[in-house]
């Protein structure tokens, strides 16, 4: 009985695809619509796949498409195929419902694939083997009902409709980023830095701010969840980390911890220990928790799904592409922390996109790339610089931050005294001089009496006359020394 129901259900799923083939046989005008909407993988029966492939090849080649040419292409000597095609023409009364047949065919193909995945899941021996199958199932479901096409009329309607809605961009907890960035669901963001530059501390601050009104997951592949939460409490409460570690906490600090605990309880933030996880595992957990923002600390520690890749660069490239696809397929924001390549000793400088470690693919995949960095490795605290080095949807920028390591806190630095403004001015001037090689700079030096550039030193004109003496004589109305007769003069000295 069960087998009979299974056969009946199977036939119900393949009848729509037979109607699609039959519609193309009786009305070649619908072939283009079918070829655009379906692929060979959407057909369950091998015979239907062969006929569809023949239709598509003829249509794309611009040849005649009818029963004779299709059968000739699919199998000229195959009598069974010819008989089957004739039956489909008899079973399909009209091609007027082709769009419904296409939708039903796509849905039937998805159901059958999900059932096949379920059958494979039922015979697994290790739980880890289920992850690739679960990801295939997730991708199948995400493709259902996808709206991937619009003409100009539809695009204009969507555009003006979007203008009526107030956008909700991701907040970051730092004013320059909140004002300048327009990150939303579907974006892939990279926050990169060198070791001990403060990447994790800054990412935790951002995650807590976003968790005020979004479901945020922080996947740590390096640090345990208890240690990360301790850092959160330090940052949120203002109680120094050293005091917590040594358990030297005053009554006032206990009060501060209690206040921070109340604030963090409201945050929709989940910390996940993800050591050794693959992108598929992170994606499955993110979907199960319905996360809207996913942080990953850090990208280079994700275990590659395919161990057969030829090298580390290929592995990291695959991981980067998978994270970008995860963001776009599910409409979530993925923020991946990334390591930067170490500079040569003694040559620490501002990072550039090419410094993203182990793969240039990260730069290509990311919608936004931010760097947090310090000028000297000896400065564990103090000044940091936050750079937006790539932004597909807005401007770039650079801001100075102050970092208090004992409290795990960042803030935007602002000069508060004239001395600080003067120091900044000197630094900028020195940097500009170095960059310009002193070109266009004005120099000052002392001029001596015999210096040819001294305007107060007597100089000779091209004719050997003293210019200053000539000017004085001109004012007196006399000829300059050494000058001959002019304007009919005699050349004698003027009378008194």
């Amino acid at each position: 009985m069960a087998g009979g129901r299974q056969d009946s259900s199977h036939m119900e799923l393949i009848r729509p695809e037979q109607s699609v083939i039959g519609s193309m046989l009786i009305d070649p005008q619908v072939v283009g619509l079918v070829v655009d909407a379906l692929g060979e993988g959407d057909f369950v029966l091998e015979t239907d796949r062969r006929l569809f492939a023949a239709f598509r090849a003829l249509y794309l080649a611009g040849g005649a498409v009818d029963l004779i040419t299709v059968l000739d292409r699919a199998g000229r000597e195959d009598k069974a195929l010819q008989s089957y095609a004739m039956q489909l023409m008899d079973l399909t009364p009209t091609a007027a419902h082709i769009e419904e047949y296409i939708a039903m065919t796509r849905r039937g193909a998805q159901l059958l694939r999900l059932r096949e995945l379920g059958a494979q899941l039922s015979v697994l021996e290790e739980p880890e083997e289920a992850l690739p199958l679960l990801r295939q199932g997730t991708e199948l479901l995400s493709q259902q009902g996808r709206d991937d096409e619009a003409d100009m009329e539809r695009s204009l309607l969507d555009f003006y409709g979007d203008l009526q809605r107030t956008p909700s961009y991701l907040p970051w907890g730092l004013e320059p980023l909140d004002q300048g960035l327009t990150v939303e669901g579907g974006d892939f963001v990279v926050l990169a830095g060198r070791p001990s530059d403060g990447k994790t501390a800054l990412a935790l601050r951002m995650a807590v701010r976003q968790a005020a009104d979004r479901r945020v997951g922080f996947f740590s592949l390096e640090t345990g969840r208890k240690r990360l939460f301790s850092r959160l409490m330090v940052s949120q409460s203002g109680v120094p980390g050293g005091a917590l570690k040594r358990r030297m906490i005053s009554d006032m600090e206990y009060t501060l911890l209690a206040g921070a605990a109340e604030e963090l309880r409201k945050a929709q933030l989940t910390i996940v220990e993800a050591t050794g996880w693959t992108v598929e595992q992170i994606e499955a957990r993110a979907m199960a928790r319905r996360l809207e923002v996913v942080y990953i600390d850090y990208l280079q520690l994700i275990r590659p799904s395919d161990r057969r890749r030829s090298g580390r660069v290929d592995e990291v490239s695959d991981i980067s592409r998978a994270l970008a696809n995860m963001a776009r397929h599910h409409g979530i924001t993925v923020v991946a922390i990334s390591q930067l390549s170490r500079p040569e000793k003694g040559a620490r400088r501002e990072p550039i996109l090419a410094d993203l470690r182990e793969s240039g693919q990260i730069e290509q995949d990311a919608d936004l790339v931010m760097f947090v960095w310090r000028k000297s490795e000896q400065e564990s605290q103090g000044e940091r610089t936050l750079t937006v080095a790539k932004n597909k949807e807005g401007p770039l920028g650079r801001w100075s931050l102050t970092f208090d390591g004992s409290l795990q806190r960042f803030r935007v630095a602002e000069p508060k005294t004239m001395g600080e403004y003067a120091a900044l001015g000197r630094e900028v001037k020195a940097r500009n001089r170095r960059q310009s090689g002193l070109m266009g700079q004005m120099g000052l030096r002392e001029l001596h009496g015999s210096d040819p550039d001294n305007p107060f030193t007597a100089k000779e004109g091209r004719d050997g006359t003293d210019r200053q003496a000539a000017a004085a004589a001109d004012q007196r109305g006399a000829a300059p020394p050494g000058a001959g007769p002019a304007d009919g003069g005699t050349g004698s000295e003027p009378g008194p």
Side-chain angles (χ1 to χ4, degrees), residues 408-427:
Q408 295 288 293
R409 286 181 174 178
F410 284 89
R411 68 178 178 84
V412 179
E414 297 180 0
K416 297 184 181 299
T417 67
M418 290 304 296
E420 289 175 319
Y421 279 115
L424 283 175
R426 288 192 296 270
E427 181 182 348

Side-chain angles (χ1 to χ4, degrees), residues 146-217:
R146 178 174 293 178
D147 187 8
D148 59 1
E149 181 180 284
D151 58 17
M152 292 299 96
E153 182 69 23
R154 168 70 183 280
S155 297
L156 284 170
L157 290 174
D158 291 343
F159 174 77
Y160 286 116
D162 289 340
L163 289 182
Q164 304 303 314
R165 291 187 288 272
T166 301
S168 178
Y169 299 124
L170 208 62
W172 300 92
L174 294 171
E175 185 177 356
L177 300 186
D178 292 339
Q179 293 180 351
L181 300 185
T182 55
V183 176
E184 53 192 344
D187 287 339
F188 177 41
V189 178
V190 174
L191 173 61
R194 299 185 177 100
S196 300
D197 278 352
K199 302 183 298 296
T200 301
L202 183 58
L204 280 172
R205 174 197 173 104
M206 294 172 171
V208 170
R209 172 61 187 89
Q210 293 157 5
D213 52 12
R214 291 169 173 81
R215 293 182 297 276
V216 181

